[in-house]
Amino acid sequence: MKKMLLLLALVMSAMTVAAQENVNTNNTDAPILLERIGNTYYYNNLAMNQKECDAFLAQNNLPIYKEFHSGYKLQKTGWSLLGVGLGLDCIGLGLTIGSIFAPDEVAFAAMLGIGATSLTIGSCCEIACIPVLVIGYTRMHDSVDYFNISQRNKQKTLSLNLTASQNGLGLALNF
């Protein structure tokens, strides 16, 4: 009796495995989502950089494009602030160190004053770039999520049509 139950259990499990292999899980109605890996965006096996993704969203979803584009501009501004800040720091450091070798007191005071001002403004630009970059990249990344949500939530059109064929009249439900 135990052998019969064991054999029956094996046959049943083999049948369920065979049935699962024949099931086609390809859902052609599934929406194509926009994926992001680092700063590369993928849509339907097409790789895009930030600028190309900006143009793609401009063509496909205007409200989400506006969010992505504002983040794109903010991150460009943040990187510009960082570059300007580093440049001013280099100039300020050079003037501050160069003031040691100034020929007289007036040149020493001028170089030291301009160098310290340049260092201060450069440091402020570097500090300001941090929240600007964070907000810019957050907006860009969130807009990809918003795009995917809008793709998933697209409602299918449901229509009921009266059709005529050589076999007669019929109702066709399309969804």
Side-chain angles (χ1 to χ4, degrees):
M1 185 69 169
K2 289 182 182 178
K3 290 182 182 178
M4 276 299 252
L5 286 174
L6 180 63
L7 183 63
L8 183 63
L10 286 174
V11 169
M12 293 296 286
S13 64
M15 288 176 65
T16 56
V17 168
Q20 287 177 351
E21 289 176 0
N22 292 333
V23 173
N24 187 4
T25 58
N26 243 355
N27 187 0
T28 58
D29 294 337
I32 299 173
L33 302 179
L34 185 63
E35 296 178 37
R36 179 187 61 84
I37 299 173
N39 285 330
T40 305
Y41 300 88
Y42 297 95
Y43 184 77
N44 200 16
N45 295 328
L46 172 71
M48 300 178 282
N49 60 19
Q50 293 171 346
K51 189 174 185 178
E52 292 168 340
C53 186
D54 190 49
F56 168 78
L57 288 173
Q59 293 175 350
N60 293 315
N61 198 322
L62 196 58
I64 293 174
Y65 159 74
K66 289 179 182 176
E67 181 75 16
F68 186 90
H69 191 69
S70 71
Y72 182 66
K73 288 193 308 188
L74 273 175
Q75 65 98 11
K76 291 285 188 195
T77 303
W79 286 114
S80 298
L81 279 171
L82 180 64
V84 168
L86 289 174
L88 286 172
D89 281 346
C90 289
I91 291 170
L93 189 63
L95 286 172
T96 304
I97 291 172
S99 67
I100 297 170
F101 305 108
D104 58 358
E105 294 286 326
V106 175
F108 173 78
M111 289 175 73
L112 191 61
I114 293 172
T117 304
S118 179
L119 280 171
T120 303
I121 294 171
S123 298
C124 289
C125 286
E126 290 168 2
I127 292 169
C129 84
I130 295 169
V132 172
L133 282 171
V134 168
I135 291 169
Y137 277 109
T138 301
R139 283 186 185 173
M140 288 171 56
H141 297 167
D142 286 348
S143 65
V144 170
D145 296 335
Y146 299 151
F147 178 81
N148 291 338
I149 290 170
S150 72
Q151 289 295 327
R152 286 187 191 122
N153 291 340
K154 279 187 177 177
Q155 294 196 1
K156 307 259 186 222
T157 57
L158 180 65
S159 64
L160 182 63
N161 299 323
L162 180 64
T163 60
S165 68
Q166 59 190 2
N167 295 331
L169 292 176
L171 289 175
L173 179 63
N174 297 321
F175 55 93

